[in-house]
Amino acid sequence: QTRLKPMALSAVASVRAAPSAHRPHASLRPSTPSRKSSSHGQTISGMAFLSGLFAFGRRSRPSSTQVRAKGGWPQSFVSADAAQTLREVRWPEEWPYTEVDFSRQDESTDAGFYSQPRICTHVDDHFIATLTKHYAEVFPTYPNARILDICSSWISHYPTEKTWSHVSITGMNEYELQQNKQADDYSVRDLNENDPKLPYDDASFDIVTCTVSFDYLCKPLEVMKEVGRVLKPGGMVILSTSNRCFPTKAVNIWLQTGDLEHVLIYGSYMHYAGAFEAPEALDLSGPLSRMGFQDPVYVIQAKKSG
């Protein structure tokens, strides 16, 4: 299911000192070295590092997909591009997934998987710069915003020019969260627990972000309902994704589908949560992404109703 380009690994598993990259899941993000620690003397378990090094790679679009979700979802709902796919989708009447869609190759505890701090990047510099630019366009529309970054790590990819008042983050690895210089507070939180609650009051944030991580959540609908709960009316959730993952921890439906299906999957979480306006998809990938030389950049976002 996962294809590794020989030296596409450089953008994934090599330890970088520069502050770039969100890890697939810090509130559910596999761990590879965290920001300044690994490149400045942080010792990484050899087996843990090699496991992450060879597991996390670019995925090719599957030529054929095992349809496990109900009614041919999401493969038969894809249109020409990301924006059109989400704009024109006719949602199934019921939640279109089965329990097996959210099972994983590695069902061991996530606490163990994410216990090793990883200060590194899991998407390339183009993805990071593009996402930061998008945030720089959206954040000022919510002056003095309170922002929550879930599944976070040592960096949130927010703009350097601060237009917000407060940033809270959740993640799996406390050391990584402590290194996040844009966060005002953090909470260690395993969102794959039986009761994936966010430790915040109702309507307490203007924006919630999650970078390349929702594909690791086994209870994505419950988590998205929590996102809706903590957002203020009119607030925005912004999910971003590319074509990389740790296949042993990504959910099955993600591994069995391609980029446009992923857009539908993320959009469906917002739709079935029942708290949001119609989600929209943005394909922010550049020409080099379409040629396979850079990571593609997809953003799926929606405003809370009300």
Side-chain angles (χ1 to χ4, degrees):
Q1 295 288 347
T2 301
R3 176 172 60 89
L4 294 182
K5 291 189 174 179
M7 295 309 312
L9 288 170
S10 61
V12 179
S14 59
V15 177
R16 298 185 182 181
S20 52
H22 228 90
R23 318 181 18 252
H25 203 70
S27 185
L28 263 147
R29 227 174 241 162
S31 319
T32 31
S34 277
R35 193 141 113 188
K36 297 179 182 175
S37 66
S38 64
S39 54
H40 289 80
Q42 173 75 21
T43 300
I44 301 172
S45 162
M47 289 304 293
F49 177 77
L50 288 175
S51 173
L53 177 66
F54 290 106
F56 193 82
R58 237 183 223 117
R59 298 183 60 256
S60 58
R61 187 182 178 86
S63 56
S64 63
T65 303
Q66 301 175 23
V67 178
R68 295 194 179 187
K70 302 173 185 176
W73 174 268
Q75 294 80 13
S76 59
F77 291 75
V78 169
S79 298
D81 57 44
Q84 182 180 346
T85 291
L86 203 50
R87 184 172 59 248
E88 298 182 355
V89 63
R90 294 186 178 182
W91 300 106
E93 292 185 7
E94 299 179 348
W95 177 245
Y97 303 102
T98 63
E99 185 177 348
V100 71
D101 292 322
F102 300 109
S103 62
R104 301 170 296 170
Q105 296 173 20
D106 178 5
E107 294 287 10
S108 64
T109 173
D110 290 317
F113 190 79
Y114 298 107
S115 62
Q116 175 66 49
R118 293 168 171 85
I119 308 294
C120 70
T121 66
H122 292 283
V123 282
D124 65 16
D125 291 341
H126 164 258
F127 181 102
I128 293 161
T130 302
L131 180 61
T132 300
K133 181 176 182 292
H134 180 67
Y135 286 156
E137 294 169 353
V138 174
F139 287 4
T141 66
Y142 294 86
N144 299 313
R146 291 182 57 85
I147 304 177
L148 171 62
D149 189 29
I150 65 172
C151 310
S152 192
S153 181
W154 60 275
I155 190 169
S156 294
H157 309 312
Y158 292 169
T160 55
E161 183 177 349
K162 183 176 179 180
T163 60
W164 56 87
S165 63
H166 191 93
V167 171
S168 298
I169 63 174
T170 69
M172 286 288 289
N173 188 284
E174 185 168 16
Y175 178 82
E176 294 173 4
L177 300 178
Q178 290 172 340
Q179 308 312 303
N180 192 316
K181 305 306 180 186
Q182 292 182 308
D184 295 292
D185 63 71
Y186 69 86
S187 174
V188 177
R189 187 68 44 165
D190 183 349
L191 295 181
N192 274 346
E193 289 182 333
N194 292 331
D195 188 19
K197 294 292 186 183
L198 294 172
Y200 307 104
D201 294 336
D202 296 356
S204 52
F205 294 100
D206 300 282
I207 300 169
V208 176
T209 61
C210 182
T211 304
V212 294
S213 295
F214 235 79
D215 47 310
Y216 297 92
L217 295 178
C218 301
K219 296 177 171 56
L221 185 60
E222 290 87 339
V223 174
M224 187 57 70
K225 287 180 178 180
E226 276 293 282
V227 169
R229 181 184 65 80
V230 302
L231 271 174
K232 300 175 183 178
M236 180 174 284
V237 56
I238 305 173
L239 306 184
S240 56
T241 187
S242 190
N243 62 353
R244 297 180 183 271
C245 73
F246 283 86
T248 60
K249 282 297 186 180
V251 296
N252 277 335
I253 190 69
W254 196 262
L255 297 180
Q256 298 170 2
T257 48
D259 291 344
L260 295 184
E261 288 94 344
H262 293 165
V263 167
L264 280 171
I265 290 168
Y266 273 9
S268 73
Y269 299 160
M270 300 172 186
H271 172 77
Y272 291 102
F276 300 94
E277 298 176 3
E280 65 170 338
L282 305 172
D283 183 353
L284 304 180
S285 310
L288 291 179
S289 299
R290 304 182 210 292
M291 296 171 65
F293 294 109
Q294 291 178 333
D295 292 347
V297 186
Y298 296 98
V299 169
I300 301 89
Q301 60 189 28
K303 288 185 176 182
K304 182 178 177 180
S305 303

